[in-house]
Amino acid sequence: MKMERLERTAVEAELTELSGWALNDAGSSISKTFKFANFVEAFGFMTQAALAAEKLNHHPEWFNVYSRVDVTLNTHDAGGLTELDFKLAKAMEKAAARRVA
Ligand SMILES: C[C@H](O)[C@H](O)[C@H]1CNC2=NC(N)=NC(=O)C2=N1
């Protein structure tokens, strides 16, 4: 799926629909730290998010230690943020909402 890089105003509009996601200084990626009760919950979230990522053919950059998952999203093919990043962010929000923080 060919995706167009979003302009700054479009990125800011998308961000208003999410909570806890921050834009990096360059405006080229968004990040969020997810916290869970323990490793099993964190890994369960990652498993669900991985399935959503495969469906979208859009993959996260992430780092996990125990109950914490740091996520960064961007579209390397487009050199910035696209609709796919926000689709994946929303899927991750859904996956996280089912798990106790
Ligand atoms: C060939 C393959 O479809 C592409 O490399 C996809 C795979 N997953 C991807 N994931 C992310 N985050 N950005 C991309 O540009 C991207 N491109």
Side-chain angles (χ1 to χ4, degrees), residues 57-60 74-78 85:
N57 187 32
H58 196 68
H59 304 91
N74 107 315
T75 305
H76 46 82
D77 292 346
D85 296 301

Short mmCIF file of all heavy atoms in Angstrom, two decimals, residues 57-60 74-78 85, ligand 1:
data_model
loop_
_atom_site.label_atom_id
_atom_site.label_comp_id
_atom_site.label_asym_id
_atom_site.label_seq_id
_atom_site.Cartn_x
_atom_site.Cartn_y
_atom_site.Cartn_z
N ASN A 57 0.60 -4.64 7.32
CA ASN A 57 1.94 -4.65 6.74
C ASN A 57 2.68 -3.36 7.15
O ASN A 57 3.30 -2.66 6.33
CB ASN A 57 1.92 -4.80 5.22
CG ASN A 57 3.31 -4.99 4.65
OD1 ASN A 57 4.18 -5.57 5.30
ND2 ASN A 57 3.56 -4.46 3.46
N HIS A 58 2.59 -3.07 8.43
CA HIS A 58 3.21 -1.86 8.96
C HIS A 58 3.70 -2.19 10.37
O HIS A 58 2.90 -2.61 11.21
CB HIS A 58 2.19 -0.72 8.98
CG HIS A 58 2.84 0.60 9.16
ND1 HIS A 58 3.64 1.16 8.19
CD2 HIS A 58 2.84 1.48 10.19
CE1 HIS A 58 4.09 2.32 8.62
NE2 HIS A 58 3.63 2.53 9.84
N HIS A 59 4.98 -1.99 10.61
CA HIS A 59 5.60 -2.60 11.78
C HIS A 59 6.21 -1.60 12.74
O HIS A 59 6.80 -0.60 12.31
CB HIS A 59 6.64 -3.62 11.28
CG HIS A 59 6.04 -4.64 10.36
ND1 HIS A 59 6.00 -4.47 9.00
CD2 HIS A 59 5.40 -5.80 10.62
CE1 HIS A 59 5.36 -5.51 8.45
NE2 HIS A 59 4.99 -6.33 9.42
N PRO A 60 6.07 -1.86 14.03
CA PRO A 60 6.57 -0.92 15.03
C PRO A 60 8.06 -1.09 15.30
O PRO A 60 8.63 -2.17 15.11
CB PRO A 60 5.77 -1.30 16.28
CG PRO A 60 5.54 -2.77 16.13
CD PRO A 60 5.38 -3.01 14.64
N ASN A 74 6.82 5.09 12.68
CA ASN A 74 6.98 5.98 11.53
C ASN A 74 6.97 5.09 10.29
O ASN A 74 6.96 3.87 10.38
CB ASN A 74 8.24 6.85 11.69
CG ASN A 74 9.39 6.45 10.79
OD1 ASN A 74 9.72 5.29 10.64
ND2 ASN A 74 10.01 7.43 10.19
N THR A 75 6.90 5.74 9.13
CA THR A 75 6.87 4.99 7.87
C THR A 75 8.19 5.22 7.16
O THR A 75 8.39 6.29 6.57
CB THR A 75 5.68 5.45 7.00
OG1 THR A 75 4.47 5.35 7.76
CG2 THR A 75 5.56 4.62 5.72
N HIS A 76 9.09 4.25 7.26
CA HIS A 76 10.42 4.49 6.67
C HIS A 76 10.35 4.64 5.17
O HIS A 76 11.10 5.43 4.59
CB HIS A 76 11.45 3.45 7.14
CG HIS A 76 11.00 2.02 7.12
ND1 HIS A 76 11.02 1.26 5.99
CD2 HIS A 76 10.50 1.23 8.11
CE1 HIS A 76 10.57 0.04 6.28
NE2 HIS A 76 10.24 -0.01 7.55
N ASP A 77 9.40 3.93 4.53
CA ASP A 77 9.23 4.05 3.07
C ASP A 77 8.88 5.49 2.64
O ASP A 77 9.19 5.88 1.51
CB ASP A 77 8.13 3.12 2.56
CG ASP A 77 8.50 1.64 2.69
OD1 ASP A 77 9.69 1.34 2.90
OD2 ASP A 77 7.60 0.79 2.58
N ALA A 78 8.21 6.23 3.53
CA ALA A 78 7.77 7.59 3.19
C ALA A 78 8.63 8.66 3.86
O ALA A 78 8.42 9.85 3.62
CB ALA A 78 6.30 7.77 3.58
N ASP A 85 0.70 4.82 10.32
CA ASP A 85 1.20 4.97 11.69
C ASP A 85 0.04 5.21 12.66
O ASP A 85 0.02 4.66 13.77
CB ASP A 85 2.22 6.12 11.75
CG ASP A 85 3.43 5.80 10.90
OD1 ASP A 85 4.08 4.78 11.19
OD2 ASP A 85 3.70 6.54 9.93
C1 LIG B 1 8.19 -4.24 1.64
C2 LIG B 1 7.32 -3.89 2.81
O1 LIG B 1 5.98 -3.90 2.43
C3 LIG B 1 7.66 -2.53 3.36
O2 LIG B 1 9.04 -2.46 3.65
C4 LIG B 1 6.82 -2.12 4.57
C5 LIG B 1 6.88 -3.13 5.72
N1 LIG B 1 6.60 -2.53 7.00
C6 LIG B 1 6.81 -1.23 7.24
N2 LIG B 1 6.70 -0.73 8.47
C7 LIG B 1 6.96 0.55 8.74
N3 LIG B 1 6.85 1.02 9.98
N4 LIG B 1 7.30 1.38 7.75
C8 LIG B 1 7.43 1.01 6.48
O3 LIG B 1 7.76 1.82 5.62
C9 LIG B 1 7.15 -0.36 6.18
N5 LIG B 1 7.23 -0.82 4.96
#
